[in-house]
Amino acid sequence: MTAIIGISATQLAEQVPNTISRNGTYVGGDYITAVANSGAAPFVIPVTDTKLITTFVNQIDGLILSGGQDVSPALYGAESEAELGDVSLVRDAFELALLKETLAQKKPVLAICRGAQLLNIAFGGTLHQDTSYIENADLEHMQQAEATQSTHAISIEHGSRLSNILGTTAQVNSFHHQAIDVLGSGLKITARASDGVIEAIEKQGSPFVVGVQWHPELIIETEIGMKRVFQEFTKNAELGAMKQVYNAPAKFKKIATLR
């Protein structure tokens, strides 16, 4: 059975000159390639009416929360600080509801960069609005190097889901200036950079629910372990889909197996 992987989209904020492109919805092509190369079908989920969220989640077997703008501090009850970047309250509200519905349906989640931060907030956590507010955070977390180039190492906790995929160390890229501060309830820190910045979190006792602060979709050609991140995620999505079919009433099984 081919798993259907929802990928949360961002919005085109400004008109592209000399085109009709405005109010567009898009995801980076590397997300789509990573999902397709893992044997799953990518399904882009636009920021739209939250009434459609249950319908979207019913159709997918797993969710990738993609990167993008800063997450608004309003989500965790904080005031904006000087280094806060652009935010989208509409996207924040939609994706938070999308994530919560996916978790309620016990479907796998791979939360990337901004997505990992949103995952933390969903469980009551908070963020540093800029790494300059973190004592001793001296690595370049918003790298100037090419996106496909890894720029720093992370240490991964032994026995974590991530360590079963990557081992206890990995090389990653870095395109964030916000970072996880107070950890959300029920989550576990499973990777850090050498300067102490949190690089990965997982939800304990759940299906695959992993948040990573880097962009694995951009380095799958140079860091072989990143392919395994997507493969393990889609494998969990496939297993969940098969269980749903097995437990479904007979009249729905024939429809489901046509996928």
Side-chain angles (χ1 to χ4, degrees), residues 80-151:
S80 299
E81 297 178 315
E83 298 301 322
L84 181 70
D86 293 336
V87 300
S88 170
L89 293 174
V90 173
R91 183 183 180 192
D92 288 346
F94 179 83
E95 288 191 347
L96 192 59
L98 178 66
L99 171 60
K100 288 182 176 180
E101 179 62 24
T102 305
L103 293 169
Q105 293 197 25
K106 294 182 170 55
K107 294 183 178 181
V109 174
L110 175 58
I112 294 174
C113 198
R114 163 195 158 89
Q117 296 163 7
L118 198 65
L119 176 64
N120 187 54
I121 291 168
F123 287 93
T126 67
L127 303 180
H128 295 286
Q129 293 181 37
D130 191 77
T131 54
S132 65
Y133 303 141
I134 306 174
E135 187 176 1
N136 300 320
D138 53 5
L139 287 176
E140 187 181 41
H141 288 280
M142 184 62 75
Q143 71 184 53
Q144 299 303 308
E146 292 291 329
T148 54
Q149 181 178 334
S150 300
T151 56

Side-chain angles (χ1 to χ4, degrees), residues 233-245:
F233 167 64
T234 56
K235 183 176 79 172
N236 276 264
E238 288 171 0
L239 289 173
M242 291 173 67
K243 287 179 181 178
Q244 282 192 318
V245 171

